Amino acid sequence: MFDGYTSSELMSIFAMQGFAGLSLFSVFVLMAMGLAIIFGQMGVINMAHGEFMILGAYTTYLTSSFFQSYLPGLFGGYFFFAIILAFLICAALGALVEWLMIRHLYHRPLDTLLATWGLSLIMQQAYRSIFGAREVGVDLPEWMMGAFQVTDLVELPINGLFVMIIALSIAVAVYLLMYRSGWGKNVRAVVQNRPMAEAVGINSAGIDRATFALGCGIAGIAGAAFTMIGSTGPSSGQAYIVDTFLVVVFGGAQSLIGTIISAFGISQAQSTMEFFLSGSMAKVLTLLVVVGILMLRPEGLMALKVRR
């Protein structure tokens, strides 16, 4: 596998693939955080989570086109507006979906899986009808172009670094919201003991709706970040949904820290192996390792103790 490479070349390869893995980690952790919040809090298997990500990506694409056409002087900062807009649109749609559909299917996980899978197909077809089947991409501002030259062989793209900063910032914000705020305390109370939380006056239905909206909003931010490193198509979300569920289950469905650790490990493993093997073989080997660990530790890397 390593024949024909010098030690310095191997070091450079691992450094470049490691950075590529960090870019993948950024998308994984944003997607998985939203999914972990929804699945851990509500037990809802949201198969349309990837389509919420793509909604955020298309929102960013439209924002980019609007600024380019009507506000060219502010084009350098359009992405910050796009992130906020992607979060708000996806969160609002998520709250609507929870009110119209999900709240009627609690305690019926198979039904939520089928319902959200049908929703994902509807959203994909809507994207095809509105934007066409071809993939689209955004134009990056000048300050996002280029790369930092670390060594003669290693370059760090600025847009990839920016995506990582976004992911880390959102992870810190979610941590503060979930573990350092009154609302987060209510969420954790409902997770640990729903009947008792309701008995002390916590509105569990409102918590569920806000939680689902928050998870979908974070998926929208993941879609905005995704446009910085790839193009967007109607079915692009399907390429990430399986890996995202894998990240959540491997990390522990109700553990934010476990989700982050899991996203880092899986993204680095896939990125490094993809250089030496095919992409499909890298995914297969990663899946086998994860399944093997889950057989030894079914609750995932880190799990909350939940009273039923």
Side-chain angles (χ1 to χ4, degrees), residues 243-290:
D243 288 330
T244 303
F245 271 109
L246 188 65
V247 166
V248 171
V249 174
F250 185 47
Q254 297 169 339
S255 172
L256 178 62
I257 303 300
T259 297
I260 294 173
I261 294 172
S262 173
F264 179 81
I266 290 175
S267 61
Q268 288 295 322
Q270 284 191 11
S271 178
T272 302
M273 287 191 291
E274 279 177 2
F275 183 84
F276 301 102
L277 305 169
S278 65
S280 58
M281 184 58 68
K283 283 184 177 292
V284 168
L285 291 178
T286 303
L287 180 61
L288 287 175
V289 172
V290 170

Side-chain angles (χ1 to χ4, degrees), residues 78-188:
Y78 85 86
F79 188 71
F80 300 100
F81 291 94
I83 288 178
I84 297 172
L85 200 58
F87 175 82
L88 293 176
I89 290 175
C90 291
L93 180 59
L96 181 63
V97 168
E98 195 280 339
W99 181 71
L100 289 175
M101 182 172 68
I102 301 299
R103 70 190 177 104
H104 303 290
L105 301 175
Y106 289 135
H107 310 300
R108 295 156 61 186
L110 182 59
D111 288 348
T112 61
L113 186 151
L114 293 174
T116 54
W117 180 63
L119 177 63
S120 75
L121 297 179
I122 293 171
M123 294 177 72
Q124 286 182 46
Q125 189 56 50
Y127 297 152
R128 287 191 183 92
S129 300
I130 297 171
F131 299 101
R134 300 180 65 178
E135 294 188 345
V136 297
V138 301
D139 292 324
L140 298 179
E142 289 187 9
W143 62 271
M144 279 193 192
M145 298 180 180
F148 293 110
Q149 191 77 33
V150 180
T151 68
D152 292 338
L153 297 175
V154 178
E155 292 182 346
L156 302 182
I158 294 174
N159 61 330
L161 287 171
F162 185 68
V163 169
M164 281 190 288
I165 292 172
I166 292 172
L168 293 176
S169 300
I170 297 301
V172 171
V174 170
Y175 172 80
L176 294 176
L177 179 64
M178 297 298 292
Y179 295 98
R180 293 293 185 269
S181 72
W183 183 82
K185 187 181 295 183
N186 290 343
V187 171
R188 288 182 285 118

